[in-house]
């Protein structure tokens, strides 16, 4: 079961991932968003892994 802080961080990381994909951000902006996601994952003792391949999509995992 998630506590409220973990739930909020998961929600924010999901929002950031969706915002990045919707905006098709420039590299610098995307880097900031990914950094924010990594920081949030670390705050709740989790690791963020992102797999992306051109033409194959992107997978964001938090474990």
């Amino acid at each position: 079961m998630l506590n409220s802080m973990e739930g909020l961080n998961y929600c924010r990381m999901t929002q950031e991932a969706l915002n990045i994909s919707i905006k098709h951000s420039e590299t610098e902006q995307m880097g900031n968003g990914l950094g924010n996601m990594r920081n949030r994952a670390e705050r709740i003792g989790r690791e963020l892994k992102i797999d992306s391949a051109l033409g194959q999509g992107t997978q964001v995992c938090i474990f």
Side-chain angles (χ1 to χ4, degrees):
M1 180 181 276
L2 298 177
N3 66 39
S4 61
M5 180 59 79
E6 288 176 326
L8 177 61
N9 277 290
Y10 278 114
C11 180
R12 295 292 187 225
M13 286 184 281
T14 302
Q15 286 177 323
E16 191 71 44
L18 292 172
N19 284 335
I20 289 169
S21 63
I22 290 168
K23 290 179 186 178
H24 296 280
S25 299
E26 295 178 9
T27 304
E28 183 178 326
Q29 291 172 331
M30 184 180 291
N32 290 337
L34 295 176
N36 291 340
M37 291 170 64
R38 282 193 175 90
N39 288 337
R40 289 183 185 279
E42 288 175 7
R43 277 188 229 153
I44 59 171
R46 304 293 182 189
E47 185 178 339
L48 178 72
K49 181 179 178 188
I50 301 171
D51 290 321
S52 183
L54 189 59
Q56 300 294 316
T58 301
Q59 183 177 29
V60 177
C61 300
I62 304 163
F63 54 98

